[in-house]
Amino acid sequence: MQVKTKNKNNDLKIYISIIIVSIFNALLNYISHSNHWNLPLDTIGTFLIAMECGYFPGILVAFFTNIFESIYLPSITYVLLLNSLMAFTATYFYKKSFFKRPLMVALFIVGCSLLSWLFEMTLSMESFAGIQNVFFEGTSLTESSTWAQRFLEWRLVRHAIDKTICLGAAFLIMKLTPPSVRVKVQGLGWKQRPITDHQMEKIAGFTKP
């Protein structure tokens, strides 16, 4: 009876944690959107949970983040698959210790940025055509192509800046969180095996300056 009660309490903590982190992501995105920063800033919590707790929790956070964001940005639901993929990739890179290598960190940021850019360009091609009609009217073909290229390049740079900030913020939170707290979060009951002593030593070593 006590075991069942404990499991229910853990499940409740899991759901609450996912909702809190998802709201945190959506809130950052709302602040950025309201202030016209042109940066999503909605994957900090996703990267954090994906690295700390595994594949499924990270994907759940990505899912609920998009659900909350769709309240004020209905068109954003199309990035659900993309954010889930980035959460999966973040977990894989962290489990393989790739983030300890600067080149792999750069590869992760560039890869996520390119995917975000391509995904956005593919799904907003009609909108981009409308932007061309508005801003390029009365210009020559050469001028139009130049402005179009700059517009596309800025979107790619924007995604790179966003992913750099989000990944850096996730690692900063991890570094500032005591190892004992991180172990409790990881072993909260994410349907995963308990953390071993060797894993605990790796966590403690990773948080040392």
Side-chain angles (χ1 to χ4, degrees):
M1 185 67 179
Q2 290 180 347
V3 174
K4 289 184 178 180
T5 303
K6 184 177 180 181
N7 288 337
K8 288 183 179 179
N9 290 336
N10 280 343
D11 288 342
L12 181 60
K13 291 178 181 178
I14 290 170
Y15 299 140
I16 291 175
S17 299
I18 289 174
I19 296 300
I20 290 175
V21 175
S22 301
I23 292 175
F24 170 76
N25 281 344
L27 182 60
L28 285 179
N29 179 264
Y30 178 77
I31 293 173
S32 176
H33 178 72
S34 300
N35 289 279
H36 306 288
W37 293 344
N38 291 321
L39 297 173
L41 298 179
D42 61 351
T43 52
I44 295 176
T46 304
F47 288 156
L48 178 64
I49 295 300
M51 292 188 291
E52 287 283 55
C53 304
Y55 296 105
F56 186 61
I59 292 174
L60 277 181
V61 171
F63 173 79
F64 282 106
T65 295
N66 283 100
I67 293 298
F68 289 129
E69 289 176 344
S70 65
I71 296 174
Y72 57 90
L73 284 175
S75 61
I76 205 170
T77 53
Y78 70 83
V79 300
L80 172 59
L81 178 61
L82 174 65
N83 286 343
S84 299
L85 179 59
M86 288 192 292
F88 183 92
T89 307
T91 302
Y92 180 80
F93 268 56
Y94 187 73
K95 285 181 176 291
K96 296 294 184 180
S97 299
F98 289 158
F99 286 126
K100 292 184 177 181
R101 298 156 58 182
L103 182 60
M104 297 304 290
V105 173
L107 178 63
F108 177 83
I109 292 174
V110 171
C112 288
S113 302
L114 282 172
L115 280 175
S116 300
W117 179 72
L118 289 172
F119 209 85
E120 185 179 20
M121 289 298 97
T122 300
L123 296 177
S124 63
M125 195 62 68
E126 183 176 349
S127 298
F128 179 63
I131 292 173
Q132 283 182 305
N133 292 336
V134 172
F135 289 100
F136 302 146
E137 185 176 358
T139 61
S140 66
L141 180 61
T142 303
E143 291 173 335
S144 176
S145 300
T146 301
W147 278 103
Q149 183 178 0
R150 289 178 181 176
F151 179 78
L152 292 174
E153 288 173 350
W154 161 239
R155 285 197 171 192
L156 179 58
V157 171
R158 182 193 67 185
H159 285 300
I161 293 173
D162 174 69
K163 298 306 176 289
T164 301
I165 292 174
C166 290
L167 184 64
F171 273 112
L172 180 61
I173 294 173
M174 290 170 61
K175 188 174 182 63
L176 296 177
T177 304
S180 58
V181 175
R182 293 177 60 191
V183 169
K184 288 181 180 179
V185 172
Q186 292 176 345
L188 192 59
W190 303 97
K191 308 300 181 184
Q192 298 176 355
R193 290 176 294 179
I195 286 192
T196 64
D197 292 337
H198 177 65
Q199 289 173 321
M200 177 62 187
E201 291 175 1
K202 289 179 65 177
I203 292 173
F206 187 81
T207 56
K208 291 180 180 179

